[in-house]
Amino acid sequence: METTSLRLFEAARKHIPGGVNSPVRACRNVDSIPLFIRSAKGSSITDVDGNSYIDYVLSWGPMILGHAHPEVTRAVTEAAGRGASYGAPCEDEVLLAQEVVDALPSVEMVRMVNSGTEATMSALRLARGVTGRNKVLKFIGCYHGHADPFLAAAGSGVATLSIPGTPGVPAAVVADTLLAPYNDLEAVKTLFAAQGPDIAAVIVEPVAANMGLVPPQPGFLQGLRDLCDAHKSLLIFDEVITGFRLAYGGAQARFGITPDLTTFGKIIGGGLPVGAYGGKAIYMRRIAPEGDIYQAGTLSGNPLAMAAGLATLRILKTCDYAALEQRTARFAGELESILKSKGVPIRVHTLGAMFCPFFTDEAVTNFEAVTRADTKIFADFYKQMRAKGVYLAPAPFETGMTSFAHTDRDFAATLDAARTLEL
Ligand code: HOZ
């Protein structure tokens, strides 16, 4: 029963657009209502009707330690007791910056902001300021938050709601956004050949995780690095999802590619609203007040958020990422076999602590292929799994997340639920 969620949703719709504060969670395209959550602990999430679910959304990525980890909770509680916000520097932001710089050799300096959207928006401003160029090259189906220049052929909620272009974003703003298919180096070469001197930056999710989960083809990321070098453009890795998830050092550690700038969100805040962008000091020193490129925020470096992020990263440093990846891969492989045995077309992608089912028979290497996967089967899969106590992302353009709190029992129970599906 979802009676209380339904009541709250109806009340929410009166005062909040669509009844939600971010679109995908509305569960519209899977013909469901959003669950209103009362609490969460470890790998489990409980709604206001008292139903508990194994959670593979994990707040869309941040909760890699599981919900309400005792050390993170303690750090936040203690910080709250010292005041929620100062609008002045605090020690934890220095310590968190140090952890980030230590974790990623490409990041010599970092600026804290409040969300992934702010991080990518600010990184692009920096790239434009540093190069004196305006154009940015992004990939179709990649999502970099909701700042104007990135709302062109974007993934995540933009793809879920099939919004081709958003009213409110002037055509002139996206005119400087160049688009290429993900994993298509030839298309990138063509764009550089025609417009190289105008391209400030290439921004990429090194593992695309807002069009389902689409890993980079061998040589793709290195090819981007080489092209950016050849044309003196900056390479921005959007590691909002992959940072501290694919590996502690993110996708750049995993693939051995050094971007010029990196954006963070989600895990870096341990569940509180934090984003960050960083990179080579020579670029970062251009940020105000050291430099001339303006970017600011009243709540940036917020003491509660810094405490949560710091506690999270300190624990993560001791975690066995390889083991979690192996367990996730085994789980995803078994899920694929079970779904295959039901006669539906299926490919379950997995990398690191992420997985994603595509109901298709074809190889999925870009957004075109993603859109050809069967959304009707996905909706049935989502609804039936939810009814059996498994909480998945309610859109085929999102990625399943696992955490260090997920037990083998969680995976086994999820697979048992999948065995009973009628698709
Ligand atoms: N953009 C996030 C998913 N990649 C958040 C979705 C939501 O909360 O609606």
Side-chain angles (χ1 to χ4, degrees):
M1 292 290 278
E2 296 169 356
T3 329
T4 316
S5 278
L6 182 58
R7 183 177 56 73
L8 288 174
F9 187 45
E10 278 165 1
R13 283 160 80 172
K14 291 190 188 126
H15 304 299
I16 303 172
V20 289
N21 283 308
S22 189
V24 185
R25 64 184 70 168
C27 299
R28 277 192 179 198
N29 65 318
V30 286
D31 188 27
S32 304
I33 61 154
L35 297 178
F36 282 66
I37 303 304
R38 184 172 65 202
S39 64
K41 177 78 190 153
S43 60
S44 173
I45 194 159
T46 301
D47 69 16
V48 284
D49 288 293
N51 306 306
S52 288
Y53 302 84
I54 303 168
D55 182 13
Y56 294 103
V57 178
L58 296 172
S59 187
W60 309 92
M63 313 315 297
I64 193 171
L65 291 174
H67 295 282
H69 188 289
E71 285 173 48
V72 180
T73 304
R74 187 172 345 107
V76 175
T77 310
E78 282 175 14
R82 296 190 296 268
S85 182
Y86 316 131
C90 66
E91 184 176 11
D92 277 356
E93 61 194 297
V94 186
L95 299 175
L96 183 55
Q98 185 68 57
E99 292 293 348
V100 175
V101 166
D102 288 350
L104 294 104
S106 79
V107 177
E108 294 169 354
M109 297 182 88
V110 62
R111 168 60 68 83
M112 300 297 165
V113 290
N114 301 287
S115 69
T117 288
E118 259 192 80
T120 53
M121 180 181 93
S122 308
L124 176 58
R125 185 179 304 148
L126 175 57
R128 284 173 163 166
V130 160
T131 59
R133 304 171 178 181
N134 285 341
K135 293 196 188 295
V136 58
L137 195 160
K138 82 172 276 288
F139 294 92
I140 298 166
C142 279
Y143 180 73
H144 305 291
H146 65 87
D148 287 359
F150 301 122
L151 287 181
S156 191
V158 183
T160 302
L161 300 173
S162 305
I163 296 173
T166 308
V169 175
V173 173
V174 276
D176 281 329
T177 303
L178 308 177
L179 297 169
Y182 193 73
N183 274 323
D184 188 342
L185 214 43
E186 285 309 310
V188 181
K189 277 184 195 156
T190 304
L191 286 168
F192 264 113
Q195 308 186 59
D198 298 325
I199 299 176
V202 172
I203 187 165
V204 65
E205 289 182 83
V207 175
N210 282 289
M211 50 167 142
L213 179 69
V214 181
Q217 298 285 97
F220 176 61
L221 297 175
Q222 184 61 55
L224 297 183
R225 178 66 279 174
D226 296 342
L227 281 165
C228 284
D229 287 343
H231 293 271
K232 298 190 172 18
S233 301
L234 301 197
L235 178 61
I236 306 173
F237 269 15
D238 180 346
E239 298 235 35
V240 167
I241 289 182
T242 51
F244 306 101
R245 173 166 286 279
L246 193 58
Y248 187 70
Q252 52 199 271
R254 174 67 174 258
F255 296 110
I257 309 288
T258 306
D260 297 297
L261 299 175
T262 302
T263 58
F264 303 94
K266 304 199 190 277
I267 290 175
I268 197 173
L272 273 77
V274 182
Y277 63 104
K280 291 182 184 162
I282 187 174
Y283 303 138
M284 293 302 291
R285 288 193 194 284
R286 288 288 303 274
I287 300 292
E290 195 156 341
D292 54 346
I293 299 172
Y294 195 71
Q295 182 271 309
T298 296
L299 290 171
S300 297
N302 171 270
L304 268 65
M306 295 297 103
L310 184 60
T312 298
L313 295 202
R314 283 179 171 166
I315 298 163
L316 281 176
K317 270 199 295 197
T318 67
C319 288
D320 188 347
Y321 278 80
L324 179 57
E325 171 153 16
Q326 271 171 23
R327 294 171 63 235
T328 305
R330 204 176 315 125
F331 161 68
E334 285 179 39
L335 181 62
E336 184 176 81
S337 307
I338 291 166
L339 294 173
K340 210 171 259 171
S341 73
K342 297 188 177 292
V344 293
I346 181 71
R347 283 167 183 252
V348 180
H349 284 191
T350 179
L351 195 65
M354 297 180 283
F355 68 98
C356 166
F358 289 111
F359 291 96
T360 179
D361 274 332
E362 65 171 300
V364 180
T365 59
N366 59 33
F367 188 65
E368 278 278 308
V370 170
T371 57
R372 286 194 291 270
D374 194 314
T375 49
K376 160 89 179 61
I377 306 178
F378 179 87
D380 286 346
F381 169 71
Y382 171 82
K383 280 189 283 192
Q384 290 184 44
M385 289 298 273
R386 184 164 122 177
K388 293 169 197 296
V390 179
Y391 188 69
L392 295 161
F397 303 105
E398 306 291 342
T399 295
M401 307 284 177
T402 60
S403 78
F404 289 103
H406 280 81
T407 62
D408 290 342
R409 264 177 68 180
D410 290 328
F411 290 138
T414 306
L415 295 171
D416 282 346
R419 282 187 190 94
T420 63
L421 295 174
E422 287 174 20
L423 297 174

